[in-house]
Amino acid sequence: MKDLRGVSSEFLRSLWYKNEPVCVLCSEGDGPICPICTENYLHPELGRCLGCGKLIPIDLLQCQDCEAGKGPKQLDKVVAWGHYYGGLKEFIQNVKFNAHPNYIGQIIKPFSEWAISQLPAVDGVVAVPMHATKLGERGFNQAEVIASALHWELGLPILQGVKRIETRVSQVLLSRKERLQNLRGVFAVPNPEDYSGRSVWLVDDVTTTGATLEAVAEVLRGSGVRTIYGLCLAAGREKKLVPSSE
Amino acid sequence: MLFFLTINKNGIVSYFPHLERDKQGSDVSLLTTPLPLAVIEEIQDQLHRRKLLDMWNFGKNKNTKLEIIRLLNDICGDTLHFSWEQIQANTLSHQGRFEEEVKDEIGVRFNQIVLGRQISIRDFRGLARELKILEERVIELAHRNVVQGKAQWVPSVKQHGRGWQCQRCGQEDVEEWPSLYGTAATCRGCQSIGVSTSLDVLYRDQRLLIESPREVIFLPHWDLTEAQRLASVQVLNYIQEASEGRALLWAACGAGKTEVCFPSAAWALKQGKSVLFAAPRQDVIYDIMPRLKRDFPKYPLQVLTGESSVKFQSGGLVLATTHQVLRFWRAFDIIFMDEMDAFPYQGSKALDWGLEHALRQGGKILYLTATPSPEGLKLVKQGKMRLIQLPARHHRKPLPIPVWLKSAYSLEPNCNGCTEEVVLQIRTLRREGPVLVFVPKISWVGSWIKSLRQYFPDWKVDGSYSSDLGRAQKIKRLIRGEFDLFVSTTILERGVTLPGIQVVVLGADHSIFDERALVQMAGRVGRTQECPGGGVIYISKQISPAMKTAVRWIKDQNRRAMELGLLDQQEGRRNLERSQRSL
Ligand SMILES: [Zn+2]
Ligand SMILES: [Zn+2]
Ligand SMILES: [Zn+2]
């Protein structure tokens, strides 16, 4: 690494990241994330499913789906920072649908600190690519913004070159099986030699079934990537844990 | 949208949009990672500066490719990995392909539509759908125009001094965020017509809106009144000869200011000039549209309203909301800007910037208003803006002058403001016609309806405000004359014509009522031939400066109309007598 990097990253960081005096998720408690929101959305007391990143009881290794072999297979481990729910869900939706990529700066410090506590160091960060049409509507790819922020925060290089070839039906309304089918052949790596033998963090904003991460991981594996860790801002929570939904 | 950077044998840096590689030309080195235009421009700029420096240093020959990678690492902060690729010779040369004129039907149609436009990639997507072709094809057609010097790509948000500036709306207050290409910025000023970021581009077509003058049939379906004719001559004179780039048409409420511009528009179109009628709000546009269509039969009229969807039409006469004006670039010779003091145009730097930049160099803007802003009047005083007046209504009767009724009590709800005196005044007004009662705040509406219903049990009394769900329905009934008394916030201030209506403004000294609102409310009265007169009463504890100014403006209009002989004699005299008794 160049010595300069520390300096320039520190300097650039000061442009985006103000110290957050109030909690980013609830605007009430102390910033950047207050103890109550930490408890409600980040759940440090829960474990993460190794297969798909879902929030699960601390004594388990995998969620029921992954246990039953229905989860992603290409990833070495997946972790999600918090539960895609309430304040964290609103925050992510505000970033995406109200076009506020700058808000990522407000959470990147606690998020990146958490990420290095959960995942081993790697050769670089890969953002899940977005199709050009959606990119045009939104003006930015939130996964890319998170990856860039991680780069500035932790000095990890960004690995580019995964392409999204076409848009399929939006994932939201599909079943798990349909989701995996729906994503076949959507991603490609034109220059596999850039990836051969590398280890990466594969970054996205939200994961529900892990299908998107799996589809990208598949082409990364095909390009010779050695180790792939999935990293997301938020994921679902094992249903069994929520009494009201039973 | 991203572009591919290339260098040719002579070290010239150029770029082209994302296209299939085999169609590209020969003998160039290509950077395999596509980049935002803002980054490419930054590199071109830096290389140019270094070249100048190198000339001083007696031309140390540097490796441009290495230089570019170094610059990129600087700009993007080592985020990306870059490499070069040599493009092999091909049957079609890159430049050659883009220099050819398009002759196919779609290409020709595309070129008619984009004339004078400023188009975002998102808008191009809409255009591709409309033309039923691929987005890549649209981008290719656009880039062809850029190569041929007919258009330009510009970063949507651009570095500007030490900060940023949106190239669509001029906004400098942007939101910064981390991107693969260093700090990026998003504009919030014009987001209602789609996102604008520093990673994206705008297409600016630099051709005129009309390629050649075409036949203009102007068939006005009305006779201008004397007042309108006088103003119309002055407008034409301004359009044809004046040196000032801006003029203000200050018209009495209900004097018919829009039609006054039609003869000038006809003249300009016949000269092959392009004309824009702009207004801040959709309802004004839909009010003007049928009149333009009727008086300019067969001439293609482009109508653009709605905040997000874009309809592509062609022709030199455009009618658009001020938001849509952001989709044109130096396209118009003449702009008629109606209701300049209305929301959302008034006070919006973005829309004002858009209007200025939709005008061709040396073009002219005529602002139309019944209630000019202080800034507008200041420009008139400084001699930077020509003033044209239209002081009289078509029926040759003077504007009703507001009368002040001093109230001993506050008129806020539950302050005993509904006195015998107020009730008596309203009862007297009702003999002339239905009474419209304006209040400054929504919270006043309900309680005043209640009080007034108690005093007038036999009357139909109701009211409304902007967020009232039944508003549209009630206003329809109001126009049909179904109410004796109607209480409202300023939603009815503009546009609506209510035959025989009389006006009361409660709490006229409230800070929410500036002189313009007060003039507009008074201007509801006496708009029709059948009921050209009527009463306006301002009720308040004090006389505010705004009330004084409003009355002065109305009196000035009447006096001027008198001087020009635009009022019927008898009426004029009575009006003067009356004005001595008022404020
Ligand atoms: Zn909180
Ligand atoms: Zn799982
Ligand atoms: Zn803007």
Side-chain angles (χ1 to χ4, degrees):
Chain A
M1 298 263 149
K2 277 190 294 178
D3 285 349
L4 255 175
R5 171 162 296 153
V7 180
S8 72
S9 136
E10 200 59 49
F11 166 71
L12 277 156
R13 188 190 297 166
S14 68
L15 292 177
W16 302 315
Y17 314 152
K18 300 169 282 188
N19 277 330
E20 298 301 328
V22 293
C23 173
V24 178
L25 302 184
C26 70
S27 314
E28 278 172 25
D30 290 342
I33 311 284
C34 76
I36 296 172
C37 288
T38 304
E39 193 184 318
N40 287 345
Y41 310 127
L42 303 186
H43 295 287
E45 81 286 3
L46 295 179
R48 304 293 188 265
C49 170
L50 281 175
C52 67
K54 202 178 284 169
L55 283 71
I56 53 170
I58 192 83
D59 50 330
L60 299 180
L61 289 174
Q62 285 185 313
C63 72
Q64 289 178 321
D65 280 336
C66 291
E67 192 101 313
K70 290 191 269 178
K73 314 244 164 9
Q74 302 290 345
L75 291 125
D76 293 278
K77 184 180 177 180
V78 182
V79 289
W81 187 39
H83 183 198
Y84 189 55
Y85 167 79
L88 184 57
K89 183 173 176 178
E90 270 169 37
F91 173 83
I92 293 170
Q93 292 193 334
N94 201 11
V95 168
K96 280 176 15 182
F97 304 123
N98 298 328
H100 284 294
N102 57 322
Y103 288 4
I104 292 294
Q106 301 177 346
I107 51 108
I108 198 61
K109 216 170 153 40
F111 175 63
S112 60
E113 274 164 15
W114 180 84
I116 39 176
S117 76
Q118 302 291 313
L119 296 173
V122 282
D123 297 328
V125 191
V126 176
V128 169
M130 188 189 253
H131 188 266
T133 307
K134 221 172 196 176
L135 192 60
E137 291 298 324
R138 197 167 287 170
F140 63 94
N141 170 1
Q142 65 279 359
E144 221 171 78
V145 177
I146 298 168
S148 305
L150 284 170
H151 161 78
W152 292 115
E153 198 62 31
L154 303 174
L156 284 170
I158 288 173
L159 297 173
Q160 253 200 323
V162 183
K163 298 263 173 295
R164 193 165 190 134
I165 299 161
E166 57 180 299
T167 28
R168 299 293 170 93
V169 185
S170 171
Q171 291 287 91
V172 178
L173 297 170
L174 303 177
S175 73
R176 162 183 292 272
K177 204 172 161 196
E178 283 171 332
R179 286 186 190 206
L180 280 168
Q181 272 307 338
N182 189 41
L183 285 165
R184 283 267 144 74
V186 169
F187 300 100
V189 177
N191 299 311
E193 57 283 4
D194 294 348
Y195 282 96
S196 172
R198 305 277 193 123
S199 60
V200 302
W201 287 359
L202 176 57
V203 176
D204 205 356
D205 56 335
V206 180
T207 175
T208 42
T209 59
T212 310
L213 291 176
E214 175 74 351
V216 180
E218 215 172 85
V219 297
L220 288 175
R221 283 282 181 224
S223 313
V225 174
R226 191 167 35 83
T227 328
I228 307 170
Y229 300 107
L231 173 62
C232 300
L233 288 182
R237 183 174 166 177
E238 182 80 281
K239 282 204 181 71
K240 215 172 70 183
L241 288 171
V242 187
S244 61
S245 73
E246 287 195 0
Chain B
M1 189 177 71
L2 301 175
F3 292 85
F4 283 101
L5 185 153
T6 58
I7 323 179
N8 70 6
K9 284 176 296 190
N10 306 321
I12 306 292
V13 173
S14 175
Y15 56 85
F16 62 89
H18 199 160
L19 293 169
E20 309 96 281
R21 191 162 297 171
D22 59 4
K23 287 189 187 161
Q24 291 313 314
S26 58
D27 297 335
V28 293
S29 298
L30 168 99
L31 194 70
T32 51
T33 310
L35 297 167
L37 182 60
V39 171
I40 294 175
E41 284 191 350
E42 172 79 23
I43 287 168
Q44 287 177 321
D45 197 44
Q46 296 268 5
L47 285 176
H48 181 69
R49 261 186 256 164
R50 276 172 207 210
K51 211 160 102 194
L52 293 179
L53 260 176
D54 287 350
M55 273 168 26
W56 282 98
N57 297 338
F58 303 102
K60 273 181 233 151
N61 215 349
K62 284 190 181 157
N63 181 333
T64 315
K65 283 192 202 170
L66 269 178
E67 194 76 10
I68 288 174
I69 300 281
R70 270 212 15 235
L71 286 169
L72 275 171
N73 285 335
D74 263 11
I75 296 168
C76 305
D78 294 337
T79 39
L80 302 171
H81 172 73
F82 300 103
S83 59
W84 291 97
E85 191 178 307
Q86 200 65 29
I87 300 258
Q88 293 308 308
N90 208 314
T91 42
L92 260 181
S93 92
H94 165 213
Q95 282 297 323
R97 198 167 88 91
F98 281 103
E99 276 160 11
E100 268 171 60
E101 282 291 333
V102 278
K103 290 183 194 83
D104 63 302
E105 197 187 321
I106 291 287
V108 169
R109 174 102 185 90
F110 172 89
N111 273 311
Q112 281 166 356
I113 285 170
V114 299
L115 294 173
R117 296 272 186 156
Q118 171 163 276
I119 304 177
S120 71
I121 298 304
R122 175 180 137 140
D123 294 343
F124 268 140
R125 200 161 294 131
L127 179 57
R129 267 197 299 272
E130 226 175 278
L131 296 176
K132 299 193 174 67
I133 53 175
L134 286 176
E135 205 178 307
E136 285 76 23
R137 170 84 170 122
V138 167
I139 300 295
E140 188 204 311
L141 286 165
H143 190 63
R144 193 184 287 260
N145 288 338
V146 172
V147 170
Q148 293 175 8
K150 296 169 181 166
Q152 238 189 330
W153 292 112
V154 291
S156 302
V157 176
K158 210 171 163 174
Q159 220 125 29
H160 178 67
R162 310 190 88 193
W164 300 90
Q165 187 181 38
C166 174
Q167 295 303 297
R168 186 162 62 184
C169 75
Q171 177 73 261
E172 290 179 20
D173 186 16
V174 299
E175 284 180 6
E176 292 185 328
W177 45 280
S179 81
L180 296 182
Y181 317 95
T183 306
T186 297
C187 170
R188 314 292 296 178
C190 57
Q191 65 173 335
S192 62
I193 60 167
V195 290
S196 174
T197 81
S198 59
L199 304 192
D200 223 326
V201 283
L202 290 169
Y203 168 89
R204 269 181 193 162
D205 198 279
Q206 285 162 333
R207 292 169 292 180
L208 303 181
L209 213 56
I210 343 181
E211 285 165 306
S212 51
R214 57 185 292 165
E215 197 195 1
V216 181
I217 303 168
F218 176 50
L219 289 175
H221 283 63
W222 32 264
D223 291 324
L224 290 175
T225 64
E226 182 61 11
Q228 283 179 315
R229 197 190 57 77
L230 281 174
S232 164
V233 169
Q234 290 178 67
V235 170
L236 185 61
N237 184 277
Y238 160 71
I239 297 292
Q240 289 178 331
E241 286 157 25
S243 55
E244 299 102 316
R246 308 287 178 271
L248 177 70
L249 175 63
W250 187 354
C253 275
K257 53 184 161 34
T258 314
E259 275 87 356
V260 161
C261 306
F262 284 15
S264 299
W267 175 83
L269 289 173
K270 280 177 190 158
Q271 302 293 309
K273 293 178 189 291
S274 49
V275 176
L276 168 69
F277 279 87
R281 292 199 330 253
Q282 217 160 302
D283 49 344
V284 183
I285 297 295
Y286 288 129
D287 186 48
I288 302 175
M289 184 173 77
R291 296 190 258 159
L292 273 176
K293 281 196 168 152
R294 194 190 52 201
D295 292 355
F296 292 88
K298 291 188 187 160
Y299 197 88
L301 174 66
Q302 298 195 51
V303 183
L304 288 95
T305 64
E307 304 292 63
S308 53
S309 75
V310 54
K311 280 272 170 297
F312 291 97
Q313 304 142 305
S314 55
L317 179 59
V318 178
L319 177 59
T321 56
T322 38
H323 273 100
Q324 296 298 324
V325 173
L326 296 176
R327 292 194 161 118
F328 291 91
W329 182 255
R330 306 234 161 108
F332 299 103
D333 297 288
I334 317 283
I335 297 178
F336 296 108
M337 172 66 210
D338 212 343
E339 306 269 357
M340 68 172 293
D341 56 313
F343 179 83
Y345 177 78
Q346 165 69 15
S348 163
K349 272 195 201 149
L351 297 180
D352 192 39
W353 196 89
L355 202 71
E356 291 285 336
H357 286 82
L359 191 69
R360 291 187 58 205
Q361 255 149 10
K364 286 176 179 172
I365 303 182
L366 178 70
Y367 295 98
L368 284 64
T369 181
T371 44
S373 63
E375 300 82 50
L377 289 175
K378 200 169 139 199
L379 291 173
V380 169
K381 252 192 199 143
Q382 291 170 343
K384 289 179 187 159
M385 188 138 94
R386 179 179 285 205
L387 179 66
I388 298 168
Q389 296 205 57
L390 172 57
R393 289 173 169 172
H394 57 94
H395 49 52
R396 300 182 64 87
K397 303 288 182 296
L399 299 169
I401 307 228
V403 181
W404 179 47
L405 175 64
K406 184 178 167 61
S407 170
Y409 302 94
S410 161
L411 294 145
E412 302 241 5
N414 312 318
C415 291
N416 307 316
C418 194
T419 57
E420 291 293 337
E421 178 68 15
V422 170
V423 169
L424 178 69
Q425 291 287 348
I426 290 177
R427 196 185 299 280
T428 316
L429 278 181
R430 178 66 189 96
R431 287 194 206 116
E432 308 265 328
V435 182
L436 188 51
V437 177
F438 285 108
V439 293
K441 289 162 91 177
I442 291 176
S443 60
W444 291 32
V445 175
S447 81
W448 272 97
I449 292 177
K450 218 165 111 192
S451 308
L452 291 167
R453 274 179 182 157
Q454 278 168 7
Y455 278 99
F456 306 108
D458 307 333
W459 288 11
K460 267 211 153 59
V461 180
D462 211 333
S464 189
Y465 44 88
S466 53
S467 50
D468 177 9
L469 291 177
R471 172 185 161 195
Q473 198 56 37
K474 285 181 193 164
I475 287 175
K476 260 184 213 152
R477 293 178 59 198
L478 179 67
I479 292 169
R480 286 201 297 263
E482 291 182 21
F483 297 114
D484 296 286
L485 196 58
F486 197 81
V487 185
S488 166
T489 54
T490 52
I491 50 164
L492 285 175
E493 184 189 295
R494 290 165 190 276
V496 189
T497 293
L498 305 161
I501 204 82
Q502 313 291 306
V503 163
V504 172
V505 181
L506 293 173
D509 57 349
H510 195 282
S511 59
I512 207 164
F513 292 141
D514 60 8
E515 55 266 31
R516 304 204 298 275
L518 289 164
V519 168
Q520 289 285 359
M521 289 185 287
R524 296 304 97 206
V525 178
R527 289 171 82 100
T528 60
Q529 187 77 53
E530 299 71 37
C531 314
V536 181
I537 307 177
Y538 292 163
I539 306 179
S540 59
K541 280 181 85 171
Q542 317 274 342
I543 295 180
S544 68
M547 288 163 69
K548 275 192 190 150
T549 308
V551 172
R552 199 186 71 229
W553 278 7
I554 296 171
K555 283 184 185 169
D556 280 351
Q557 296 274 25
N558 284 343
R559 190 172 306 126
R560 191 162 170 80
M562 269 274 286
E563 283 165 13
L564 294 170
L566 300 172
L567 299 180
D568 291 342
Q569 270 308 306
Q570 199 191 354
E571 286 294 332
R573 208 174 311 119
R574 196 189 300 159
N575 162 57
L576 268 188
E577 281 161 20
R578 196 169 167 188
S579 76
Q580 272 139 24
R581 274 183 284 120
S582 68
L583 286 176

